[in-house]
Amino acid sequence: MTTLYGFSTEVRIRCAADYKGVFDGALFKVHQPHFLFLAKHSELPNSRLGLVVAKKKVRRAHERNRVKRLARESFRLHQQQLAVLDIVVMPKMGIETVPNAELHQQLQFAWQKLQRLAKKHSKAVITSSQN
């Protein structure tokens, strides 16, 4: 059993096939000034996070690591409020100049928006299945 706010292997997208599944079947897209979130419903019992931080977008290794660390931490704190989704987070150009506090805020807005989209989608699915 995972701890409430852990970041164990069960909450990570790890293999290429799972990443491809999210890229090909993304139901939800959330844009923030410095992030793009892609997500789809997970077949597993818990949400999972994948990070794609391309060298082309974030040149320096320590900046790529900082972005990944912030995204993981933010996901860890918000995973309990999220619907069961597979989520891939990708930073956009220029992210290395943004302070941590601002990135935290953007991530928080993105989780909230993703949650709203997932709720709206599940209500629409329930309504259409009743008709």
Side-chain angles (χ1 to χ4, degrees):
M1 181 72 195
T2 61
T3 59
L4 194 60
Y5 291 105
F7 193 71
S8 63
T9 53
E10 297 101 69
V11 297
R12 299 178 200 177
I13 298 177
R14 293 170 38 219
C15 67
D18 291 346
Y19 276 99
K20 187 172 174 9
V22 175
F23 286 126
D24 294 347
L27 283 174
F28 312 110
K29 285 183 182 173
V30 176
H31 290 274
Q32 286 294 317
H34 294 97
F35 288 102
L36 169 63
F37 281 46
L38 298 175
K40 72 175 189 76
H41 290 290
S42 179
E43 292 86 47
L44 298 170
N46 49 311
S47 292
R48 295 189 305 165
L49 175 72
L51 296 161
V52 178
V53 185
K55 223 183 258 189
K56 201 178 215 177
K57 302 270 188 222
V58 185
R59 296 295 305 151
R60 296 191 176 111
H62 69 276
E63 289 295 343
R64 287 195 301 277
N65 294 338
R66 177 180 76 105
V67 168
K68 289 189 278 190
R69 191 172 53 249
L70 288 170
R72 279 194 301 262
E73 177 69 5
S74 184
F75 172 77
R76 199 178 63 71
L77 296 173
H78 290 88
Q79 66 186 359
Q80 299 305 315
Q81 295 102 318
L82 292 170
V84 181
L85 301 168
D86 281 349
I87 306 158
V88 173
V89 176
M90 295 181 289
K92 295 180 181 178
M93 288 290 239
I95 196 167
E96 59 273 344
T97 62
V98 182
N100 286 0
E102 196 177 320
L103 292 179
H104 261 297
Q105 193 172 30
Q106 284 186 27
L107 286 162
Q108 193 165 349
F109 287 144
W111 298 126
Q112 290 166 355
K113 192 171 180 185
L114 193 57
Q115 183 60 24
R116 278 197 308 274
L117 287 171
K119 258 191 195 142
K120 200 164 143 184
H121 182 266
S122 62
K123 281 182 186 170
V125 168
I126 291 167
T127 312
S128 65
S129 66
Q130 290 173 347
N131 292 340

